[in-house]
Amino acid sequence: MSRGVRHFLDFEKISTNEVRHILELGYKIKHKNFNKKILKNKFLSMIFEKPSTRTRISFEVGMKQLGGDVITLDQADTQLGRGETVQDTVKVLGKYVDVIVYRGSTDKLLNEISKFSDVPIINGLTENSHPCQIMADILTLQEKFQSVDDLKICWVGDGNNVCNSWIDINKHFNFNLNISTPESFKPDNSRIKKVKKYGRNINYFLDPREAVENADVVITDTWSSMGTKESKVRLSKFSKYQVNKKLMDFAKKKAIFLHCMPAHRGQEVTSEVIDGNNSLVLEEAFNRLHVQKSILLWCLNMGF
Ligand code: CP
Ligand code: NVA
């Protein structure tokens, strides 16, 4: 990693204190309506190799509310579409802008480009992780429960990038994590082992009803992430894992429902649950905005 540059890549390379500071600042930004133009003359560039609504808009609005400006690049309208490497693109962008959000393929590539970059790189989602999302999720739960420590949090569905980041952030907070996925869609065991070293309580259940039993929070996500082929065979393997009222009845009476969105109503979640009184999905999406601002400030070493 380039020396002295604060990249926001994953929850392994960032300390517990830093994660907690970013969340505290996100909370202050939201509740004290902090919109000082402290990023005036600073530029953010965002590279999207995959579609985005929330990540793109929340970073753009966040940067602009703090006085900065944004340039967004899709593959089609840059030389990336003609085969210029992300590494070269990032090296060049560093000559113009102060910070970069990258939504791309793998964590491996993300880590590699961060080594070449003279400016901070923020992980805007890879096929392996989505840490910005989980920061907003934790903020949402802290607002609801004060602390996430000791909560029983249950992930149901695909052991995907968002699930991985839930596992990773368990290093920094002492919540209990139950994971229920079809056998062939389990998250990587080595990832879980790394976090268990910190004494965390992570358990796998094939039966989602057992996993959800008495949970404080139930979370799901699409059964086919971007870049994954959606097939009838694939979807049929998940049918038992839909978060519906019947499944939520196994959780605590007032259990909270979260989903990073976009949601596929009728697949991983029913409208009754996502639109229900215990769903915090819109607050969760709103918190992306506040957390993006604090991540930007942390990366630029401002406001800390
Ligand atoms: N949750 C999330 O990252 O949404 P987008 O794909 O719309 O950015
Ligand atoms: N797991 C989903 C998250 C979208 C924000 C995907 O990668 O498509």
Side-chain angles (χ1 to χ4, degrees), residues 47-82:
I47 306 172
F48 284 98
E49 293 181 1
K50 290 174 175 170
S52 169
T53 301
R54 281 142 287 265
T55 305
R56 180 173 176 154
I57 311 283
S58 57
F59 267 112
E60 179 151 352
V61 172
M63 187 71 186
K64 288 185 173 167
Q65 285 182 344
L66 294 175
D69 214 333
V70 185
I71 300 142
T72 302
L73 306 172
D74 289 325
Q75 266 192 323
D77 49 42
T78 63
Q79 299 289 10
L80 284 166
R82 291 182 57 242

Side-chain angles (χ1 to χ4, degrees), residues 103 125-126 130 160-162 221-222 224-226 260-262:
R103 172 170 284 198
L125 176 147
T126 70
H130 196 4
N160 64 12
N161 46 5
V162 180
D221 184 18
T222 177
S224 305
S225 287
M226 291 178 276
C260 63
M261 299 172 97

